[in-house]
Amino acid sequence: MTNFADLGLSQKVLSAVTDAGYTIPTPIQAGAIPPALQRRDILGIAQTGTGKTASFVLPMLTLLEKGRARARMPRTLILEPTRELAAQVAENFDKYGKNHKLNIALLIGGVSFDEQDRKLERGADVLICTPGRLLDHFERGKLLMSGVEILVIDEADRMLDMGFIPDIERIAKLIPFTRQTLFFSATMPPEIQKLADRFLQNPERVEVARRSSTATTVTQRFVAAHAKDYEKRAVLRDLIRAQDELKNAIIFCNRKKDVADLFRSLDRHGFSVGALHGDMDQRSRMAMLANFKDGNIKLLVASDVAARGLDIPDVSHVFNFDVPIHAEDYVHRIGRTGRAGRSGASFTLVTKRDIKFADAIEKLIGQEVEWLNGDLSELPEPMESHDPVRKDRGRDRHKDRKKDVERSGRGRSDHRSDTAHADSAAELEPVAERAEAVKPERNEDNGRAHNGHNGRNDRPGRAQNAANDDNRDRRNRHRRDHDDGPTPIGFGDDIPAFMLIAGKA
DNA sequence: AAAAAAC
């Protein structure tokens, strides 16, 4: 079996790899590192979780040992589809480049230009970018691409999905054709193959077995649910509580709005929960991810921004609150658990209108997924108290609220915002959600202590409009307490303590 | 039926 020491990496790199505890390269690493060190182009077909990142980071570090960066002329350039992925690659450079004195610049949106610009000025050995921010810097004349020796295009199929290919082509044209290009994609549809043909010269093709389906260590179940959101949320809560060995979990929704809604609901029900989606400001995104990784929050409600590539080790459970529309995404989502041979569990809530997507998933993974409690045909009738068209909202709201307060014995009145926001939240919440909240609950009375924060809820619950408002909201952040509605996960003036900690880190 | 990404 191949050892890292046999791949031709420099001593500096090898010792960092050893310090990180690795001796045996993964197949993509063993296949890609030697030709990359020979300055060959690479066509790497590999999914995340296969060690793909190190397969370009390690040889790049070795190659970068010769030569120095000049001001505004980066020596290498890595393109990533999402900010989190870019940040993660940067972490890899820190980890494996600890014996080097390289200048690494992370150019992503959502954060200030100034620091990025200072790094460019100093001369960057490695630029790790999302396409938009890179082009922004370039258009401001802060950057010359003519010194780039190595170009990495990561997650090319996802870049295609996201419409980044024109940007990628534009960037590639700015870089001398004498460059070395490392091109990675999880899949090779014809468009990607065409792209690869254009970008690569006589590449070494390295393909590792697709995690075609899902790791065999992951238990997969479908769970029949009614389509109403509040009923799905109730099913989800029961499901979460029924798990004996839930260490932490990612809960996927298809839409940002639903991420926001579900997060608020779980938070209100006392779960230790965070949220992650692309319309949140970057600081919150980073803080949420860090806190989830550190175990400060147990549940992370996320859009597909978290489905691929993010290296969150050791997630015990994945819940699909929504069935993904593209079966491929199911594989990626489920791939967040059961990593590195560990066991994991996944549950997918399926409603009647999802059935064709559920079928497509079974077809893709080549196996039938067991239903947890009978299939859709055995679905019980919708719960009666959940009629969302009751007219006497105002009165009932108060009644419900009263019961809610009584239920916990102490009424949670230690939270200054609690009674103040109750009505405004109920106003925009389906009545049923309030009714549902008075059902006896096991877990929640000790809630609210979990994150050491309070007051998160004194924002009016207007998540329905949040997704639409959000871009405007981002620009008007200073005045968003007026009437734009919150960002889906705005904290307003009340920033939870744990986020302040992460912000400093 | 979506999400992701520049200000």
Side-chain angles (χ1 to χ4, degrees):
Chain A
M1 186 170 284
T2 322
N3 198 295
F4 269 114
D6 308 327
L7 299 180
L9 294 165
S10 70
Q11 276 312 316
K12 282 183 186 174
V13 173
L14 273 179
S15 92
V17 169
T18 307
D19 289 352
Y22 298 109
T23 48
I24 312 288
T26 66
I28 184 81
Q29 290 161 0
I33 290 174
L37 288 169
Q38 311 283 323
R39 313 235 41 168
R40 292 275 310 275
D41 281 2
I42 303 286
L43 172 57
I45 304 166
Q47 292 194 293
T48 46
T50 55
K52 180 189 56 164
T53 303
S55 77
F56 60 82
V57 170
L58 302 182
M60 284 176 76
L61 283 167
T62 295
L63 293 170
L64 282 164
E65 286 172 20
K66 288 195 197 105
R68 283 198 66 198
R70 288 191 281 164
R72 306 214 176 275
M73 290 186 66
R75 302 170 65 197
T76 65
L77 175 59
I78 299 169
L79 296 170
E80 296 287 338
T82 70
R83 297 169 185 175
E84 274 76 13
L85 273 175
Q88 193 171 288
V89 171
E91 282 169 24
N92 269 259
F93 271 97
D94 290 340
K95 181 160 136 196
Y96 299 120
K98 64 176 190 174
N99 302 319
H100 298 67
K101 289 203 177 70
L102 295 173
N103 189 12
I104 314 290
L106 180 61
L107 305 190
I108 59 175
V111 293
S112 128
F113 272 89
D114 297 347
E115 196 188 334
Q116 296 176 358
D117 193 42
R118 276 196 294 276
K119 287 203 167 169
L120 287 175
E121 168 76 64
R122 249 165 51 198
D125 297 285
V126 183
L127 281 193
I128 305 161
C129 319
T130 45
R133 183 54 74 95
L134 175 71
L135 286 170
D136 205 340
H137 278 286
F138 181 77
E139 280 158 11
R140 291 166 190 231
K142 305 289 190 186
L143 187 59
L144 276 171
M145 309 277 223
S146 54
V148 173
E149 299 164 39
I150 303 175
L151 170 66
V152 179
I153 298 164
D154 198 13
E155 304 258 337
D157 50 352
R158 199 167 175 209
M159 300 260 205
L160 178 75
D161 279 353
M162 291 166 62
F164 283 168
I165 297 304
D167 285 348
I168 303 296
E169 304 220 40
R170 204 179 139 206
I171 293 163
K173 272 192 203 134
L174 301 169
I175 301 174
F177 71 97
T178 51
R179 67 171 190 254
Q180 179 182 11
T181 307
L182 314 178
F183 184 102
F184 293 89
S185 188
T187 57
M188 283 305 271
E191 296 115 304
I192 295 292
Q193 184 62 56
K194 260 191 265 170
L195 208 61
D197 292 344
R198 239 177 315 153
F199 287 163
L200 298 169
Q201 299 177 43
N202 184 29
E204 174 85 10
R205 184 186 170 105
V206 185
E207 182 162 7
V208 300
R210 288 202 54 192
R211 229 171 11 169
S212 62
S213 67
T214 39
T216 50
T217 52
V218 177
T219 311
Q220 301 175 59
R221 294 288 181 271
F222 283 160
V223 183
H226 286 290
K228 293 283 180 212
D229 280 351
Y230 47 85
E231 298 207 354
K232 282 176 85 178
R233 288 197 286 263
V235 170
L236 177 71
R237 288 196 299 276
D238 290 344
L239 204 52
I240 292 171
R241 292 185 181 126
Q243 303 305 309
D244 291 330
E245 305 194 346
L246 190 145
K247 216 183 104 213
N248 56 358
I250 305 180
I251 304 165
F252 285 103
C253 300
N254 285 356
R255 282 172 290 227
K256 289 178 281 201
K257 170 191 176 301
D258 294 327
V259 170
D261 290 353
L262 181 59
F263 162 75
R264 286 183 347 107
S265 169
L266 288 170
D267 186 50
R268 224 179 19 232
H269 280 84
F271 289 93
S272 168
V273 63
L276 186 69
H277 66 69
D279 278 354
M280 289 163 55
D281 67 85
Q282 194 57 25
R283 180 160 169 268
S284 303
R285 282 168 68 164
M286 298 284 200
M288 282 296 181
L289 199 55
N291 277 288
F292 185 65
K293 283 186 184 179
D294 295 346
N296 298 334
I297 46 183
K298 277 180 82 170
L299 306 177
L300 185 68
V301 186
S303 69
D304 277 315
V305 69
R308 305 192 197 196
L310 286 192
D311 184 29
I312 304 166
D314 220 11
V315 175
S316 71
H317 286 65
V318 167
F319 297 95
N320 287 314
F321 186 72
D322 297 310
V323 182
I325 294 162
H326 296 299
E328 281 286 324
D329 289 332
Y330 176 84
V331 179
H332 289 292
R333 291 180 181 185
I334 298 298
R336 302 291 90 204
T337 185
R339 287 158 80 86
R342 281 185 285 262
S343 66
S346 74
F347 296 90
T348 301
L349 304 196
V350 183
T351 71
K352 286 214 169 90
R353 60 182 129 150
D354 299 324
I355 197 66
K356 57 180 178 293
F357 302 120
D359 288 345
I361 287 167
E362 290 184 321
K363 202 171 153 205
L364 177 74
I365 66 177
Q367 67 184 84
E368 290 201 352
V369 176
E370 221 174 281
W371 290 83
L372 187 67
N373 291 322
D375 61 24
L376 281 168
S377 63
E378 295 161 51
L379 211 54
E381 284 305 303
M383 285 170 267
E384 208 165 273
S385 64
H386 285 173
D387 178 1
V389 290
R390 287 195 313 199
K391 282 183 184 156
D392 48 353
R393 294 179 58 134
R395 213 184 56 221
D396 271 62
R397 207 194 307 145
H398 272 96
K399 222 163 61 190
D400 289 349
R401 184 65 212 165
K402 227 171 154 187
K403 278 199 270 175
D404 193 15
V405 170
E406 284 162 7
R407 165 185 56 95
S408 71
R410 58 181 172 81
R412 301 198 303 207
S413 53
D414 49 326
H415 293 281
R416 59 172 173 78
S417 61
D418 200 57
T419 45
H421 82 83
D423 285 351
S424 60
E427 214 157 39
L428 297 131
E429 198 68 23
V431 169
E433 177 73 17
R434 308 304 307 168
E436 166 206 42
V438 305
K439 285 193 309 186
E441 300 276 7
R442 274 212 316 274
N443 263 0
E444 59 181 32
D445 289 341
N446 57 349
R448 298 256 157 249
H450 54 279
N451 282 340
H453 71 275
N454 61 25
R456 188 188 298 186
N457 282 351
D458 53 2
R459 327 236 29 214
R462 218 177 312 168
Q464 285 91 335
N465 301 319
N468 293 337
D469 286 348
D470 207 75
N471 282 327
R472 179 164 36 118
D473 197 68
R474 252 195 279 194
R475 288 190 288 274
N476 295 337
R477 194 161 293 292
H478 58 284
R479 49 171 286 264
R480 69 178 172 182
D481 276 328
H482 289 96
D483 70 343
D484 272 5
T487 47
I489 311 302
F491 291 108
D493 297 328
D494 297 289
I495 297 174
F498 75 82
M499 285 192 52
L500 293 174
I501 294 164
K504 279 179 212 151

